[in-house]
Amino acid sequence: MVTNAKRRILDGALDLLRADGGGSITLDAAAKQVGLTKPGLMYHFPTKEALMKAVVGHVADQWEALMGEYLGEPLETAPAHRRISAYVEAALAGRYDSADFAIFTEALYRDDLTETWVRRFEPWLTLPDDLPAQERARLTAARLLADGYWMAVATQVFPPPARDHERLLAVARDLVREGAAP
């Protein structure tokens, strides 16, 4: 369970990544960002490693909460097309920025952080082995569309024009629709 103090620290750490020119998360900077002393911050997160793992978990919590709202049923019993649909909706509806992208890319260089992303998103994105090839391709295409969309929005590198959002969402929804034609 994340306490209010921990949540404030985690949100403050993400704010560091949003700083002009990009910032970095250190124990000193995170403590200063939220008005704590370094020992005060270390009471909650004794090492930078602990803080970084918690930040990744915090971002994953936000994603899972949003996906859960779109799913509207227990994840464990949801069919693949509904899970991928929830991911697509969250990716195209969320308000992502440089902090989301920075924390995602930070995980690429650290196995423990990568493991957190994989563990948290695998139940949402893994497709069953017995899924017909055409359906697997459609669901994978929808997921990749969603991946590209949120990353482009978060980085502001070639973001899609706002006028195209609804049409992109319609294409993605068509791809994840159960029983869609090949």
Side-chain angles (χ1 to χ4, degrees):
M1 177 172 186
V2 176
T3 65
N4 283 340
K6 284 185 177 181
R7 181 173 287 113
R8 203 180 73 183
I9 293 167
L10 297 172
D11 288 339
L14 288 171
D15 286 342
L16 289 170
L17 298 175
R18 293 181 183 103
D20 287 339
S24 63
I25 298 174
T26 66
L27 293 177
D28 287 321
K32 183 177 179 183
Q33 179 72 20
V34 296
L36 292 174
T37 63
K38 185 175 177 181
L41 180 133
M42 291 178 72
Y43 171 80
H44 299 285
F45 303 103
T47 63
K48 181 179 177 185
E49 178 74 18
L51 178 59
M52 292 304 294
K53 285 180 95 169
V55 170
V56 169
H58 183 58
V59 172
D61 287 344
Q62 293 169 349
W63 270 90
E64 281 190 309
L66 189 54
M67 290 186 297
E69 288 176 27
Y70 285 111
L71 186 60
E73 63 186 282
L75 174 63
E76 303 75 31
T77 59
H81 75 279
R82 292 279 301 131
R83 290 183 284 107
I84 299 296
S85 177
Y87 175 75
V88 165
E89 294 287 341
L92 273 76
R95 302 235 189 284
Y96 304 106
D97 60 28
S98 58
D100 297 289
F101 188 74
I103 204 64
F104 177 77
T105 56
E106 174 77 17
L108 295 175
Y109 304 104
R110 300 196 29 208
D111 290 342
D112 58 331
L113 299 181
T114 299
E115 186 278 326
T116 299
W117 280 115
V118 170
R119 179 175 41 81
R120 300 291 293 277
F121 280 80
E122 193 170 43
W124 293 91
L125 302 177
T126 299
L127 300 174
D129 290 335
D130 63 347
L131 204 60
Q134 191 61 35
E135 188 173 356
R136 175 179 291 281
R138 283 186 307 96
L139 295 177
T140 300
R143 190 207 52 151
L144 294 174
L145 182 154
D147 288 346
Y149 185 90
W150 86 260
M151 288 181 195
V153 168
T155 62
Q156 287 297 293
V157 176
F158 301 116
R163 69 177 182 269
D164 294 340
H165 180 263
E166 287 303 316
R167 284 184 288 264
L168 289 169
L169 188 53
V171 167
R173 284 176 176 160
D174 192 48
L175 287 169
V176 298
R177 188 169 33 92
E178 182 178 29

